[in-house]
Amino acid sequence: MKKILLFAGSNSSTSINKKLIQYVADNIKEAETEIINLEDYEPPMFSVDIEKEITSPESIQKLVKKFRNYDGFVVSTPEHNHIPPAFLKSILDWLSRVHLHIFEDEPRYFEDKPLLLLSTSPGKGGATRSIEHVEYLLSFGKPKLIGKFSLPSFNHNFEDGKITDQELDQKLKDLIKKLESEV
Ligand SMILES: Cc1cc2nc3c(=O)[nH]c(=O)nc-3n(C[C@H](O)[C@H](O)[C@H](O)COP(=O)(O)O)c2cc1C
């Protein structure tokens, strides 16, 4: 069976993006799923000085090696002041440098593998500005982006671990089907 890795770009223990990720995992039936906590791979805040000293954090290399075991990915991003949280940006900056220094002749970390990109926030925008930035930042990993979905007004549209708005729910489930067929 194909394997899909899912994670949210949040370091909040009560993250709504983690809840959305769990819902997507619950709805993937045609592949094995694993959810990781990105905090478990948290490197130091990106810095050129640290990069000169250590080249690439162990946790980032571990993350790239983990990605190789999966056939597809689901990533959900929060929005802080219209852009991804610094926590996620720092990790994506480190990831953008890893092939420069460590895995030079190897495929990029998401090379041609299907990616479903998600976002949510309590506001009406559902983090639609942040998702555009994350699409760009993840393009360094060369994924095959199969779709994007932003869940607006999380507290209104999500209850008991499920999306309550039928139309939004169907939209997401159609993308999940697409992901299952592309892995
Ligand atoms: C510093 C900060 C800035 C925020 N800026 C935005 C924003 O620009 N747009 C938005 O929709 N929500 C914004 N929010 C609210 C977040 O969407 C909300 O905290 C959400 O729960 C974050 O996702 P998470 O729970 O998965 O970490 C902001 C929250 C914080 C703490």
Side-chain angles (χ1 to χ4, degrees):
M1 216 175 192
K2 297 290 179 151
K3 294 194 327 191
I4 296 174
L5 186 72
L6 306 92
F7 60 87
S10 172
N11 58 358
S12 160
S13 61
T14 55
S15 166
I16 57 177
N17 283 274
K18 287 177 185 169
K19 288 177 184 152
L20 182 60
I21 280 289
Q22 182 63 60
Y23 181 63
V24 171
D26 292 345
N27 279 280
I28 295 175
K29 306 290 179 206
E30 304 294 325
E32 277 177 35
T33 56
E34 189 189 343
I35 298 173
I36 53 166
N37 218 338
L38 211 50
E39 292 123 291
D40 293 343
Y41 297 85
E42 190 173 0
M45 175 68 73
F46 182 84
S47 135
V48 286
D49 293 350
I50 298 177
E51 189 182 37
K52 268 184 207 139
E53 200 185 312
I54 66 168
T55 311
S56 175
E58 292 275 329
S59 63
I60 291 296
Q61 295 175 48
K62 210 170 133 195
L63 194 57
V64 170
K65 284 178 188 159
K66 186 160 184 80
F67 288 163
R68 290 188 186 139
N69 300 326
Y70 294 84
D71 306 291
F73 302 91
V74 184
V75 178
S76 190
T77 182
E79 182 168 284
H80 281 179
N81 299 321
H82 303 184
I83 57 174
F87 164 75
L88 179 60
K89 174 70 164 51
S90 171
I91 290 174
L92 295 180
D93 282 345
W94 280 118
L95 279 172
S96 76
R97 309 282 289 172
V98 76
H99 293 283
L100 212 65
H101 303 302
I102 306 284
F103 305 116
E104 285 159 77
D105 301 323
E106 296 176 46
R108 297 292 181 93
Y109 59 85
F110 281 168
E111 193 90 18
D112 289 332
K113 292 178 188 171
L115 166 70
L116 173 57
L117 198 48
L118 311 175
S119 71
T120 190
S121 80
K124 285 199 176 112
T128 39
R129 291 162 293 208
S130 180
I131 204 172
E132 300 304 321
H133 292 282
V134 173
E135 178 182 353
Y136 189 73
L137 289 161
L138 284 175
S139 70
F140 291 98
K142 296 211 182 298
K144 180 180 174 193
L145 184 66
I146 61 118
K148 286 190 281 181
F149 173 84
S150 295
L151 179 66
S153 309
F154 180 86
N155 298 321
H156 180 74
N157 288 319
F158 196 93
E159 210 180 309
D160 295 331
K162 293 187 175 86
I163 295 178
T164 49
D165 181 287
Q166 293 262 301
E167 209 174 303
L168 289 167
D169 194 40
Q170 197 51 55
K171 210 172 150 194
L172 179 56
K173 282 179 175 158
D174 288 347
L175 285 171
I176 292 171
K177 280 263 156 298
K178 192 172 174 197
L179 176 65
E180 287 175 325
S181 69
E182 301 240 358
V183 287

